[in-house]
Amino acid sequence: METVTVVGLGKIGLPLAAVIANSGYFNVIGADSNEKVVETANKGISHIQNEPGLEELLYNAWKTGTFRATTVTAKAVSQSDVVVVIVPVLVKEDGKINYEFIDAAVEDIGKGIRKGTLVIFETTLPAGDTRNRFGKRIEEISGLQLGTDFHLGYSPERVYSNRIIQDLSNYPKIVSGDNEKSLELVKSFYKRALNCDILPVSNLETAEFTKVAESVYRDVNIALANELAVFADSLGVNMKEVIHAANSQPFSHLHYPGVGVGGHCIPVYPYFFINKGLKKGLVHLSREVNDHMAKYAVDQVERILGSLQDQNILILGLSFRENVKETTKSSALLLADKLKQRGAIVYVDDPLYSSEEIAAFQVLPYSEAIREKIDAIILQAFHDQYKNFPFDHFPNCRMVLDGRNQLDKKKIEDLGMKYRGIGVQ
């Protein structure tokens, strides 16, 4: 069987490696700089929770010997026919792209690569980076010629946390190569590795642009929903009802408003266009609208409570979205900052995090001991555990802001609390 190295064993890389290792065609080496991740993976244990099917797949691959892990990427690459790169590219506070981790991975790939290797990038990238930044760098380090001595492909990950295994087989795999031969190699690899539909595009840049465009589409349309929700509030119109009615027409696809947009993808990838020279317009404005929603939510709380000075506010959900343990760009952090700027005392509850993990974000972990002190509650991430949240345990809470429009308004108001949603009064 051929050997595949998957570089990056994070939330997407480890499930991808496990699926490939169970395909029946490949032995897989998982490469990661985190020693703890490698140590647990080499015992058949996943460091990622709440990913259905992953634990079983990883254990089976470990038990049958089709998967092992290492921290020495260059050596793993030197033993491989295919290298798949799924190392994160981040965005700094000023919106500039941070290539630190993926640049380091590419250095190791260049040191270990052998003739005939196929290198595929799955990390979401600005258009042109696969060829011009990483392909050229591998050439420089290895002395091998791109397109002749080694082959280059780009196939963006398109999966969603909590259903990655399912998405890997259900979504068409967009594939591209630096030339026709590379494209054929990429198509053949994914057909065997994932047994999914293959959607080839004409070049690397088209595939890169496509993935960013998917995320930008969502950011822009969420911004539209948020802007309309704020306007609906001013007119006393229920935005949930509007969306249900409007989307009964097949050409209307209104998204849902919320207290903000978080995660590795939607609030990050628009900057891959912005930093490449996209003129100021909808993409820029959408980022401003969506990041502004935290301030808008705090404004709604202040309208009910009056001054927020020394008011005890509880945020439900540290994660950026429901049922995922991830805080990247979480609206909870924006909410906490806005609340503290107005003098509020901020508590955070999240069943996925320990008190120590929550305290690391400079907020107070919530405990039952202080429930009678809470003046207002903001739902930020609607985890399953919040579906039956005991609002009746908060006798002095005066309002609930439903940042995801998921709660039962009548039940909350029957407790004598004011209810506010996003576009829902």
Side-chain angles (χ1 to χ4, degrees):
M1 295 198 297
E2 294 178 58
T3 298
V4 178
T5 288
V6 175
V7 183
L9 296 179
K11 292 180 180 296
I12 298 172
L14 186 62
L16 179 65
V19 169
I20 297 171
N22 280 274
S23 67
Y25 293 100
F26 305 100
N27 289 313
V28 176
I29 307 171
D32 200 284
S33 60
N34 188 317
E35 292 182 1
K36 289 184 179 179
V37 167
V38 169
E39 181 183 350
T40 56
N42 275 328
K43 297 176 182 176
I45 300 170
S46 171
H47 69 99
I48 297 164
Q49 307 301 313
N50 301 317
E51 200 55 69
L54 174 57
E55 291 183 1
E56 295 84 354
L57 283 174
L58 182 62
Y59 181 79
N60 184 66
W62 169 77
K63 188 177 181 180
T64 57
T66 58
F67 175 85
R68 62 184 174 88
T70 181
T71 57
V72 187
T73 301
K75 184 177 180 181
V77 170
S78 72
Q79 300 168 348
S80 299
D81 306 286
V82 181
V83 177
V84 180
V85 186
I86 184 68
V87 176
V89 170
L90 307 175
V91 171
K92 302 174 185 176
E93 288 299 319
D94 61 1
K96 299 299 182 184
I97 301 169
N98 180 357
Y99 291 101
E100 176 185 356
F101 300 110
I102 197 166
D103 277 346
V106 168
E107 293 292 310
D108 287 335
I109 293 168
K111 293 172 184 175
I113 193 170
R114 64 189 184 187
K115 268 194 173 185
T117 302
L118 170 64
V119 182
I120 307 170
F121 285 82
E122 286 214 10
T123 302
T124 304
L125 297 170
D129 276 2
T130 300
R131 187 190 310 273
N132 299 322
R133 187 183 185 96
F134 302 128
K136 288 183 178 179
R137 185 59 184 150
I138 293 171
E139 277 188 320
E140 291 171 1
I141 299 169
S142 66
L144 300 178
Q145 185 175 349
L146 172 60
T148 303
D149 297 328
F150 73 97
H151 305 282
L152 188 63
Y154 182 76
S155 180
E157 59 84 7
R158 308 175 77 196
V159 295
Y160 199 68
S161 292
N162 294 128
R163 63 182 201 204
I164 290 175
I165 307 298
Q166 174 187 341
D167 289 347
L168 283 172
S169 60
N170 288 349
Y171 288 169
K173 200 78 174 82
I174 297 170
V175 297
S176 62
D178 68 286
N179 57 31
E180 283 300 320
K181 182 175 181 180
S182 296
L183 177 59
E184 290 305 313
L185 291 171
V186 175
K187 287 164 61 177
S188 174
F189 168 70
Y190 280 116
K191 193 64 183 176
R192 290 176 293 157
L194 302 181
N195 191 31
C196 61
D197 291 337
I198 304 297
L199 179 58
V201 296
S202 58
N203 53 46
L204 301 169
E205 291 74 20
T206 299
E208 291 166 323
F209 195 102
T210 298
K211 174 54 193 294
V212 178
E214 289 179 358
S215 292
V216 167
Y217 169 87
R218 292 181 65 194
D219 198 39
V220 169
N221 281 278
I222 293 169
L224 172 62
N226 282 332
E227 187 170 276
L228 292 179
V230 171
F231 186 48
D233 269 341
S234 71
L235 300 177
V237 171
N238 186 321
M239 192 62 190
K240 284 179 70 174
E241 190 176 358
V242 167
I243 292 169
H244 176 74
N247 287 356
S248 66
Q249 201 265 21
F251 299 107
S252 178
H253 305 284
L254 284 174
H255 286 35
Y256 290 93
V259 75
V261 178
H264 287 291
C265 301
I266 300 177
V268 172
Y269 298 151
Y271 292 103
F272 290 7
F273 282 169
I274 292 169
N275 288 325
K276 288 289 185 177
L278 179 68
K279 291 183 179 178
K280 192 163 187 177
L282 281 175
V283 177
H284 298 70
L285 183 59
S286 296
R287 284 282 74 244
E288 294 174 11
V289 169
N290 287 332
D291 282 347
H292 178 75
M293 293 308 294
K295 178 183 180 301
Y296 179 75
V298 173
D299 287 345
Q300 305 313 300
V301 177
E302 193 170 53
R303 284 196 180 99
I304 302 298
L305 299 189
S307 171
L308 295 182
Q309 185 68 41
D310 297 325
Q311 297 291 307
N312 296 289
I313 313 296
L314 171 60
I315 298 173
L316 299 180
L318 178 62
S319 300
F320 80 89
R321 74 165 172 84
E322 74 282 357
N323 304 320
V324 173
K325 189 176 181 179
E326 177 58 65
T327 59
T328 300
K329 300 284 184 181
S330 175
S331 298
L333 306 178
L334 291 176
L335 285 166
D337 285 343
K338 299 298 182 187
L339 288 165
K340 287 191 283 188
Q341 287 171 14
R342 303 189 196 188
I345 302 166
V346 181
Y347 294 88
V348 173
D349 176 82
D350 194 307
L352 304 182
Y353 291 83
S354 68
S355 294
E356 292 75 18
E357 288 173 320
I358 292 173
F361 290 92
Q362 286 74 55
V363 292
L364 297 170
Y366 169 74
S367 70
E368 280 285 308
I370 54 93
R371 61 185 176 84
E372 294 187 3
K373 295 182 180 179
I374 298 300
D375 298 294
I377 298 172
I378 300 174
L379 175 67
Q380 192 282 134
F382 190 50
H383 295 312
D384 286 344
Q385 293 90 333
Y386 293 147
K387 289 180 179 178
N388 296 300
F389 189 76
F391 289 99
D392 57 338
H393 288 191
F394 298 84
N396 297 308
C397 179
R398 288 182 277 159
M399 82 159 295
V400 173
L401 187 134
D402 183 359
R404 302 299 171 188
N405 292 343
Q406 294 287 342
L407 302 175
D408 188 321
K409 176 183 177 181
K410 184 177 185 303
K411 285 185 178 179
I412 289 169
E413 291 185 336
D414 284 349
L415 294 171
M417 304 174 188
K418 293 285 187 181
Y419 172 93
R420 287 291 183 274
I422 305 299
V424 182
Q425 296 187 13

